[in-house]
């Protein structure tokens, strides 16, 4: 899953120092104290670690780079670290695929693909996650026709509770493949993944400030006319920042280095960090800060290789909740969120992020069976987020929303079974592959049931 940790690791065993280490996610809102830590360097070593843990009565969880906000990876048993499984096994130009081990970071994958003249079809907005973490929790970007990172998988390798290694694809173990692409770590430990890739392409990004009412009025048009559309609304204001990404024949015209540093580092990270810190100690200043923030970034257009356009640096730490609602409900839901903020005493320093994705066929995908709009809310790390997230979650669930598996929410198995038509298909497979819940933890018990 999408997680990080600072534990010392020893493949095939652990040290006293490693046992004492506390694992923390990126946001710092989740901690765990594993009983054993391992960093296997091959699928055979991983399978041996799983068998050994089972024999010792330890539960097993794998971690990645820490960018989930839930306790999906927390364990008091065996913590499997990703740094030993970072090989890019094969790039097959003829088949249009790349096979990587689970711990490969998306940054490493994108760099290697670009060097080979290849690209993923779509990306989220950061590259810090591991390949297995990003897929297992349903990480996504925005796309009219192209879905989540998991939707780009053509095969995966899974170590199951008895130490067996399953090769999974549409042809081999297809029922496992249908579920394990977004498996939450509940079916086993993913050791390798195969992605569909295509020739390297350019995107032209058009970023433009726009009034909230204009975005609402033209949301369907923007979504239909652009390959990748997203926007941010700044609470306490009428301001949004929109981004439209479309393929370009070139030539490349990257963002000038100075302008990119000013917008992406100085304003979006440095100044924003200071503004969030001020807002935490002086909440009454937040509406004024929000008005300034909504006007700080001006329109810009640039053309670059796809992954450099999809992603941007995110250095301000926060906690996040995100829900996928039916795409046709997006405008009404956003208007309700805005009205709720305006009539409340809440002071929200982070913008609300809105993206879209097409329907897919993955059992526990937030876009499973329906075109979706994603609405993400954030709060600066250390701020009181509970009232805001609770109010937003009430709106999202009333609209049929599905929570992102790696982001904060309060839903349980009873609710999620009604939200996902294929929920019981997933849990039945889990019962078959992991009847003793070797890969279980408190989070999975809540969202999948006992």
């Amino acid at each position: 899953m999408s997680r990080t940790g600072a534990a010392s690791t020893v493949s095939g065993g652990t040290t006293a120092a490693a046992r004492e280490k506390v694992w923390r996610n990126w946001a710092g809102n989740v901690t765990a104290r594993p009983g054993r830590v391992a960093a296997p360097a091959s699928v055979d070593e991983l399978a041996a670690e799983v068998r050994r843990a089972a024999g010792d009565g330890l539960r097993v969880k794998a971690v990645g780079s820490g960018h989930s906000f839930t306790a999906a990876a927390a364990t008091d048993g065996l913590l499997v670290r990703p740094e030993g499984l970072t090989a890019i096994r094969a790039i097959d130009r003829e088949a249009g695929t790349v096979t990587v081990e689970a711990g490969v970071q998306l940054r490493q994958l994108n760099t290697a693909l670009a060097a080979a003249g290849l690209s993923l079809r779509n990306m989220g907005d950061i590259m810090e996650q591991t390949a297995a973490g990003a897929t297992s929790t349903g990480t996504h970007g925005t796309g009219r026709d192209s879905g989540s990172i998991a939707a780009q998988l053509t095969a995966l390798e899974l170590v199951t509770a008895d130490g067996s290694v399953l090769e999974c694809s549409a042809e081999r173990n297809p029922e496992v493949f249908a579920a394990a692409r977004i498996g939450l770590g509940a079916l086993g430990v993913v050791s390798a993944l195969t992605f569909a890739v295509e020739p390297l392409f350019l995107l032209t990004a058009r970023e433009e400030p726009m009034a909230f009412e204009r975005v609402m009025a033209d949301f369907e048009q923007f979504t239909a006319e652009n390959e990748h559309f997203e926007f941010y609304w700044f609470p306490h204001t009428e301001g949004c920042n929109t981004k439209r990404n479309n393929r370009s024949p070139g030539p490349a015209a990257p963002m000038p280095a100075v302008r990119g540093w000013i917008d992406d580092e100085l304003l979006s990270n440095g100044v924003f960090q200071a503004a969030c810190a001020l807002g935490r100690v002086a909440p009454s200043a937040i509406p004024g800060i929000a008005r300034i923030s909504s006007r700080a970034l001006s329109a810009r257009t640039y053309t670059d290789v796809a992954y450099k356009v999809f992603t941007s640096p995110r250095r301000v730490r926060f906690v996040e909740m995100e829900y996928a609602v039916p795409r046709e409900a997006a405008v009404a839901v956003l208007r309700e969120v805005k009205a709720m903020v305006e009539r409340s005493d809440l002071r929200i320093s982070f913008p609300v992020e809105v993206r879209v994705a097409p329907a897919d066929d993955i059992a526990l995908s937030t876009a499973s069976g329906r075109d979706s709009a994603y609405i993400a809310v954030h709060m600066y790390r250390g701020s009181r987020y509970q009232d805001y997230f609770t109010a937003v979650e009430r709106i999202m669930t009333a609209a049929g929303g599905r929570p992102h598996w790696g982001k904060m929410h309060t839903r349980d198995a009873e609710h999620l079974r009604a939200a996902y038509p294929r929920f019981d298909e997933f849990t039945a497979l889990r019962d078959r592959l992991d009847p003793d819940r070797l890969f279980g933890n408190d989070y999975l018990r809540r969202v999948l049931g006992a």
Side-chain angles (χ1 to χ4, degrees):
M1 315 229 155
S2 177
R3 305 151 296 240
T4 196
S8 301
T9 58
V10 180
S11 180
T14 187
T15 65
R19 283 195 301 270
E20 294 170 1
K21 291 291 185 179
V22 175
W23 171 85
R24 293 181 176 85
N25 67 341
W26 177 81
N29 67 305
V30 178
T31 60
R33 192 179 295 276
R36 182 186 299 164
V37 180
S42 69
V43 65
D44 290 339
E45 287 186 14
L46 172 59
E49 290 286 359
V50 168
R51 288 191 294 269
R52 179 176 172 229
D56 291 342
L58 296 177
R59 293 186 296 179
V60 179
K61 297 306 298 179
V63 297
S65 60
H67 278 269
S68 284
F69 301 88
T70 69
T75 187
D76 58 2
L78 172 65
L79 186 79
V80 178
R81 299 278 295 151
E83 55 263 31
L85 294 170
T86 56
I88 295 177
R89 291 185 180 177
I91 295 176
D92 188 333
R93 293 176 179 276
E94 184 175 343
T97 61
V98 59
T99 300
V100 302
E101 292 184 334
V104 169
Q105 274 197 324
L106 295 180
R107 182 181 303 279
Q108 177 190 357
L109 173 58
N110 278 294
T111 301
L113 287 176
L118 298 169
S119 177
L120 294 174
R121 189 179 184 194
N122 201 353
M123 271 285 297
D125 50 20
I126 63 171
M127 297 189 289
E128 310 311 316
Q129 307 102 315
T130 61
T135 54
S136 294
T137 53
T139 295
H140 62 90
T142 189
R144 179 189 62 202
D145 309 307
S146 52
S148 70
I149 298 177
Q152 299 170 66
L153 288 174
T154 64
L156 61 85
E157 183 181 85
L158 185 73
V159 177
T160 59
D162 62 0
S164 300
V165 180
L166 290 185
E167 300 288 344
C168 306
S169 67
E171 293 76 35
R172 302 183 67 183
N173 298 301
E175 76 289 356
V176 180
F177 181 67
R181 284 174 287 173
I182 299 179
L184 316 185
L187 304 178
V189 180
V190 174
S191 50
L193 308 103
T194 300
F195 293 92
V197 294
E198 55 186 271
L200 188 68
F201 59 93
L202 299 174
L203 286 175
T204 292
R206 179 182 175 188
E207 300 177 13
E208 181 182 1
M210 199 172 291
F212 181 86
E213 286 302 326
R214 163 80 190 284
V215 178
M216 294 297 94
D218 293 342
F219 178 77
E220 292 297 334
Q221 181 179 348
F222 286 142
T223 299
E225 292 181 351
N226 295 279
E227 293 177 79
H228 308 276
F229 172 69
E230 64 185 304
F231 72 93
Y232 299 85
W233 165 61
F234 294 84
H236 313 296
T237 81
E238 297 298 321
C240 297
N241 196 47
T242 63
K243 185 175 183 180
R244 287 167 274 182
N245 300 333
N246 291 286
R247 296 198 184 207
S248 169
M255 179 66 57
V258 173
R259 173 73 186 275
W261 181 84
I262 291 172
D263 286 354
D264 297 332
E265 290 292 353
L266 179 61
L267 294 178
S268 297
N269 284 293
V271 173
F272 187 56
Q273 168 82 45
C276 288
L278 173 61
R280 188 171 66 180
V281 298
S284 62
I286 287 176
I289 293 170
R291 287 189 289 273
I292 295 170
S293 297
S294 69
R295 296 191 296 265
L297 297 175
S298 57
R300 62 183 192 176
T301 301
Y302 54 96
T303 301
D304 211 335
V305 295
Y307 79 88
K308 294 183 180 180
V309 175
F310 285 135
T311 64
S312 58
R314 300 289 177 90
R315 309 197 198 287
V316 182
R317 301 211 178 197
F318 53 83
V319 292
E320 180 178 1
M321 182 175 71
E322 182 177 50
Y323 267 77
V325 299
R327 190 179 298 179
E328 62 271 17
V331 170
V333 169
L334 284 161
R335 289 190 184 281
E336 192 170 352
V337 170
K338 186 172 185 286
M340 178 274 294
V341 171
E342 290 172 347
R343 67 175 177 261
S344 73
D345 295 327
L346 296 169
R347 295 294 178 262
I348 312 302
S349 58
F350 261 81
V352 174
E353 182 180 23
V354 182
R355 295 174 286 177
V356 297
D360 64 40
D361 64 349
I362 305 172
L364 290 189
S365 168
T366 44
S368 183
R370 71 184 191 193
D371 292 345
S372 300
Y374 292 92
I375 301 171
V377 296
H378 316 70
M379 287 288 277
Y380 184 53
R381 187 174 66 171
S383 300
R384 286 186 54 81
Y385 62 84
Q386 290 86 348
D387 290 348
Y388 179 39
F389 284 13
T390 297
V392 171
E393 188 171 45
R394 188 176 300 119
I395 295 169
M396 299 299 169
T397 55
R402 299 167 176 168
H404 189 299
W405 295 108
K407 299 178 184 179
M408 301 170 75
H409 66 92
T410 66
R411 301 299 88 191
D412 61 14
E414 182 180 2
H415 174 93
L416 294 166
R417 178 172 285 106
Y420 286 88
R422 298 172 66 185
F423 186 89
D424 288 335
E425 173 188 330
F426 185 95
T427 56
L429 180 64
R430 184 191 187 203
D431 288 342
R432 176 162 70 83
L433 293 180
D434 187 19
D436 298 323
R437 301 298 187 258
L438 179 68
F439 303 112
N441 64 6
D442 290 343
Y443 176 77
L444 294 182
R445 186 177 301 110
R446 172 164 67 90
V447 300
L448 298 179

